[in-house]
Amino acid sequence: MLIFSQIMLAAASIFAALLLYRQPQPLTVHSKTVASIIATCCMFILLSALLPLVITGNSEEKLVLLRIFSNLQYYLALPLMSSVILLTCLGKNYSKGAWGRWSLVLLASFELCRRALVGEQYSMAIAIVIILSVAIGLLYHRSTLSAIALPIAAIVSFTTSILLFSPELSIIDLSDQARYNFSLAVSLCLVCLCFGQKLKTLTKNST
């Protein structure tokens, strides 16, 4: 079951990234930047899902490598993705360089909190912030019931995977790697589908 969930999460990461580029018209320059950053986040999630399948053994070097990519998923990919979703939906435009600097801030914050022995508190804070960011971003400027139905489903799925099942970010002690992989796979696709509707194309795109 765990192996199947890892394969499903890897496949969903690719599909979610492709959803951002599935538009009726070409994306604007800014939208391409945003889509590429989210796609990069999806690739980090893909790697964290696939590496345990190809790296076997319990040597210290292998365990460290797996831990690095696991941390990249939890403390870089998910926070960066949620930041991009929130600020883009609020109409804020930033360059790749600015997002790169923000990525360094996220990594430095994690390392500082880990060294200060407040890693658990930092994980809880990150979990809450990324969920709120995704929720606000996806619901922003959506007023009708039909317009918010799919975003709400995406938010509920994303919240469930992070708060309940995540081995690192779960606030309620129900963490389970397989269920986390399954739920994150579903929520990634839903979130990227909803966020793709917010991306601007070369022709005026109403959402």
Side-chain angles (χ1 to χ4, degrees):
M1 184 63 72
L2 178 59
I3 293 176
F4 179 69
S5 73
Q6 291 168 318
I7 295 172
M8 180 176 175
L9 178 56
S13 299
I14 298 173
F15 183 67
L18 293 176
L19 282 174
L20 300 174
Y21 295 93
R22 186 178 176 273
Q23 305 291 340
Q25 298 293 334
L27 295 171
T28 63
V29 173
H30 173 64
S31 293
K32 286 181 180 178
T33 297
V34 168
S36 67
I37 294 170
I38 298 247
T40 300
C41 294
C42 289
M43 292 306 102
F44 278 126
I45 295 174
L46 179 149
L47 288 173
S48 69
L50 283 185
L51 281 179
L53 298 178
V54 298
I55 297 180
T56 58
N58 294 318
S59 68
E60 184 177 351
E61 293 80 5
K62 293 177 180 179
L63 294 176
V64 168
L65 181 60
L66 292 176
R67 185 63 180 174
I68 288 173
F69 277 92
S70 176
N71 287 340
L72 284 175
Q73 177 193 158
Y74 293 121
Y75 301 107
L76 176 61
L78 292 175
L80 179 59
M81 181 179 71
S82 64
S83 301
V84 171
I85 289 173
L86 174 62
L87 293 177
T88 301
C89 291
L90 293 180
K92 307 297 182 181
N93 297 334
Y94 298 100
S95 65
K96 279 188 177 180
W99 287 118
R101 289 188 290 273
W102 176 237
S103 299
L104 294 177
V105 170
L106 290 171
L107 291 173
S109 299
F110 164 69
E111 184 62 21
L112 286 173
C113 290
R114 186 184 69 83
R115 290 179 179 273
L117 302 180
V118 291
E120 184 176 346
Q121 292 83 346
Y122 181 75
S123 296
M124 290 183 180
I126 282 289
I128 294 171
V129 168
I130 63 177
I131 288 169
L132 289 177
S133 298
V134 169
I136 294 171
L138 294 186
L139 293 177
Y140 187 70
H141 274 177
R142 294 182 190 263
S143 55
T144 64
L145 182 61
S146 59
I148 66 173
L150 188 59
I152 287 178
I155 293 165
V156 170
S157 176
F158 188 68
T159 301
T160 299
S161 64
I162 298 299
L163 290 187
L164 295 185
F165 302 138
S166 170
E168 287 287 332
L169 305 179
S170 174
I171 292 177
I172 303 172
D173 190 17
L174 295 174
S175 60
D176 180 86
Q177 187 66 57
R179 284 184 289 181
Y180 170 72
N181 291 340
F182 283 127
S183 59
L184 184 62
V186 173
S187 63
L188 266 183
C189 294
L190 290 175
V191 167
C192 286
L193 177 62
C194 295
F195 181 61
Q197 298 171 355
K198 296 272 191 174
L199 293 178
K200 295 180 180 179
T201 61
L202 293 179
T203 58
K204 189 174 180 180
N205 189 25
S206 60
T207 59

